[in-house]
Amino acid sequence: CAVDELLLALDHSAGAPFTRTLAGLYDYVLQQIIQGHARKSEQAFREALSILTTLSEAWAEVKANVTAETPPAAGLSPEVPGEEAGVKEPNDPGAAYRDPSVPALSRDWSC
């Protein structure tokens, strides 16, 4: 499930005090999702969604603040990341590394 991915992505070795708080929130969200399934509880799903929505809005705000504070590198256009000297990156930077004969795999984000 996507919440498991968020939990596993936390880097506690960085020493940031909020990683434990986030881990606790993600654990709680997972428990709410499990309760929602087990008890057919719409309220548990709403609680999980509320927390994830709040976190998503907070991270979007952090991203906007960091982006606004960081000037673009010399020669780069802020509208098109990676555009330099008239060379544009493809929309999918990983496309050059994939063999077109191998089907792309998708993730199953369901819990």
Side-chain angles (χ1 to χ4, degrees), residues 1-5 29-30 33-34 37 45 52 108-111:
C1 140
V3 180
D4 286 322
E5 295 287 332
V29 167
L30 284 172
I33 292 170
I34 290 167
H37 284 292
F45 285 124
L52 292 173
D108 178 9
W109 295 108
S110 62
C111 291

Side-chain angles (χ1 to χ4, degrees), residues 10 20 24 26 30 34 37 42 51 57 67 73 89 92 95 109:
L10 291 174
R20 285 201 172 114
Y26 294 153
L30 284 172
I34 290 167
H37 284 292
E42 184 177 334
I51 292 169
E57 291 167 354
T67 303
E89 289 188 31
D92 181 4
W109 295 108

Side-chain angles (χ1 to χ4, degrees), residues 26-46:
Y26 294 153
D27 282 334
Y28 179 75
V29 167
L30 284 172
Q31 291 305 312
Q32 292 303 305
I33 292 170
I34 290 167
Q35 283 185 18
H37 284 292
R39 298 181 182 163
K40 307 290 187 224
S41 170
E42 184 177 334
Q43 181 58 35
F45 285 124
R46 287 184 189 275

Side-chain angles (χ1 to χ4, degrees), residues 6-28:
L6 291 170
L7 191 56
L8 292 172
L10 291 174
D11 182 5
H12 298 289
S13 69
F18 66 88
T19 59
R20 285 201 172 114
T21 302
L22 280 174
L25 281 171
Y26 294 153
D27 282 334
Y28 179 75

